[in-house]
Amino acid sequence: MDEKIILGIESSCDETSASVVINGRRILSNVIASQIDIHKRFGGVVPEIASRNHTMAIIPVIDEALTAAGVRPEALDAVGVTCGAGLIGALLVGVSTAKALSFALNKPLVAVSHTRAHVAGNYLAHPDLEPPFICLVVSGGHTSIVRVDGYTEQTVIGATTDDACGEAFDKVARILGLDYPGGPAIDKLAATGAANIDFFKNAKPSGGGDYNFSYSGLKTAVINYVHNAEQAGRKINPADLAASFSEYAVAPLVAKTFRAAREYGLNTVAMCGGVSANTLLRRRMTERAERERVRFLYPPTVLCTDNAAIVASLAYYQLQAGIGLADLTLNAQATLA
Ligand code: KG4
Ligand code: ZN
C-alpha cells in the first residue's frame, strides 16, 4: 500500500505540538510542549506570552517529533498545519514554520481547521472507524454537534450560542479558586461531591428543540449561587458545587448528541475536544449509548486535548482529496469552521 508520511504542526492556543502520522491513522510520534504552567499564574492564556513561547518551542518540538519517528524531513510527503481557529499570534508561529518547511523541502502544504482536526482524534484511536457518524466537539473554544459524512465532509448541525462548554468549566473553576485550566480540576473535585444543588430552583432552562447549546445561563446561575451564599454567610461545599455543575453541563451534550444520531439515522457516535476527557461526560455518554444500542467512541485523553497528531491525520485525508492545499500566501484565521 502506498504510504503517506505527514508532519502535523499545531500552535493555536497554549500547546506547541508536532507529530508524524502515516496514512492518517498510525502515529509515529506526537510531541506536545504545554505552556499550561506558564499561563497558570494569570488564570488563563495570555496571547502575547503564548506566541513568544511557541516561537521558542516550535523548532525543538518539530526536531523531536522527526527524531522520535525516525523520519528524515526529506521523507515527508506533506506538512499539515492548523491555520485557525485560534489566537492569531500563536497560529502564525505554526503557519510560518510550516510554510518555511514546505518551501525548503518542496512538499505540499495542507491548511487544516483546528475544530475539524479534533474529530480526527477518533480515526487515530479507532482504526476501524469510518464515516458516517455523529461527533460531539466539545472544547475550550467549541461546543458543536457535527455530522461527519466523509473524512473531509463535516457539517455543523448545532453549536453554542454563547460560551463554549470548556469555558464554563474554566470559569466555574476560577470562582472556586482552582487553577487554570479548570476542567480537569472540576472533574477531580466533582468525584468527591454529590450533585445536590439546584442552580435554577426548579425552573430548569429548556433544552430547546434544536442542536444548539448555551452555557452563559448556567455560568451566571453558579456565580449567583456562590454570591448569595457569601452574602448570607453560608459556606458552600466546593465538591458538591463541582458535581452539580458538571451534571448540568453534561446533560444537554448527551441529550442533543444522541437525538441527532437518531434523527439522522446514524448508529455511531463519537466525541472529541478537551472536555471529552471529562469523567462524567464519558460515563453519561456511555450509559446512554448502551441504552440506545449505539456504538460510542472517544479518543484517549492525549488525543482529546490539543495535539498535532489530529492535524496530521486530517491533513492526510485533505491531501488525498485535494482539499486545503495551500501556498506561501497562507494566513492565520482567528475564526474558522
Ligand atoms: O481541546 P482543548 O485542549 O483546547 C481547545 O481547543 O479549546 O480543550 C481545552 C478545554 C479547557 O476548557 C479545559 O478546561 C477542558 O478542555 N478540559 C476539561 C477536562 N480536561 C480538559 N473539561 C472538563 N473535564 C476535563 N477532564
Ligand atoms: Zn482544541
Side-chain angles (χ1 to χ4, degrees):
M1 198 173 105
D2 183 26
E3 287 205 328
K4 292 261 186 286
I5 309 174
I6 314 288
L7 173 71
I9 298 176
E10 157 65 37
S11 69
S12 65
C13 192
D14 56 349
E15 264 91 30
T16 320
S17 180
S19 167
V20 179
V21 173
I22 293 188
N23 286 358
R25 295 278 183 167
R26 193 150 63 87
I27 300 174
L28 295 188
S29 65
N30 190 18
V31 177
I32 305 164
S34 176
Q35 301 178 13
I36 283 178
D37 286 340
I38 296 166
H39 297 281
K40 218 168 222 167
R41 80 189 87 135
F42 304 107
V45 178
V46 184
E48 186 54 32
I49 294 176
S51 312
R52 268 187 261 156
N53 282 282
H54 283 305
T55 306
M56 289 189 283
I58 194 100
I59 299 297
V61 163
I62 291 172
D63 268 345
E64 196 183 328
L66 290 168
T67 306
V71 167
R72 285 173 301 106
E74 302 76 40
L76 294 170
D77 288 292
V79 179
V81 65
T82 303
C83 65
L87 304 169
I88 285 291
L91 286 163
L92 277 172
V93 177
V95 168
S96 309
T97 310
K99 284 202 277 195
L101 266 175
S102 135
F103 181 72
L105 297 168
N106 196 22
K107 306 283 177 183
L109 176 66
V110 186
V112 167
S113 144
H114 179 81
T115 335
R116 286 171 176 255
H118 266 302
V119 174
N122 287 290
Y123 300 135
L124 294 163
H126 309 287
D128 62 331
L129 174 66
E130 285 176 18
F133 56 91
I134 288 289
C135 192
L136 172 67
V137 184
V138 64
S139 69
H142 296 271
T143 308
S144 42
I145 298 179
V146 176
R147 209 185 65 219
V148 183
D149 293 314
Y151 289 107
T152 56
E153 287 164 64
Q154 297 185 13
T155 308
V156 176
I157 58 171
T160 182
T161 53
D162 40 58
D163 297 349
C165 183
E167 237 179 305
F169 269 93
D170 294 338
K171 278 181 189 148
V172 169
R174 209 167 171 165
I175 298 165
L176 292 178
L178 303 170
D179 271 349
Y180 173 84
I186 293 275
D187 193 350
K188 217 163 130 198
L189 191 59
T192 63
N196 54 12
I197 303 171
D198 178 359
F199 293 115
F200 298 99
K201 298 208 166 49
N202 290 323
K204 294 218 168 74
S206 79
D210 54 23
Y211 294 116
N212 291 332
F213 301 101
S214 165
Y215 280 95
S216 74
L218 175 58
K219 180 189 69 187
T220 309
V222 175
I223 293 172
N224 288 345
Y225 176 87
V226 173
H227 286 172
N228 289 342
E230 270 169 9
Q231 273 165 7
R234 236 182 318 117
K235 263 185 99 78
I236 59 156
N237 180 329
D240 289 352
L241 189 134
S244 307
F245 162 75
S246 300
E247 290 284 0
Y248 277 104
V250 160
L253 300 175
V254 180
K256 294 198 177 199
T257 305
F258 282 90
R259 182 151 58 76
R262 214 176 317 125
E263 185 176 313
Y264 289 99
L266 296 171
N267 59 5
T268 302
V269 164
M271 69 176 180
C272 60
V275 184
S276 59
N278 184 263
T279 313
L280 184 73
L281 178 60
R282 288 179 173 184
R283 191 186 321 138
R284 293 280 178 262
M285 292 287 280
T286 303
E287 289 164 356
R288 183 65 175 265
E290 280 168 7
R291 253 197 348 262
E292 302 214 6
R293 296 176 194 284
V294 164
R295 185 181 185 205
F296 170 56
L297 308 162
Y298 57 85
T301 298
V302 67
L303 296 175
C304 288
T305 47
D306 290 349
N307 69 91
I310 60 175
V311 177
S313 173
L314 182 57
Y316 164 77
Y317 290 110
Q318 290 190 191
L319 182 70
Q320 296 298 89
I323 292 171
L325 300 182
D327 59 23
L328 296 182
T329 62
L330 179 66
N331 208 344
Q333 287 171 263
T335 54
L336 180 66

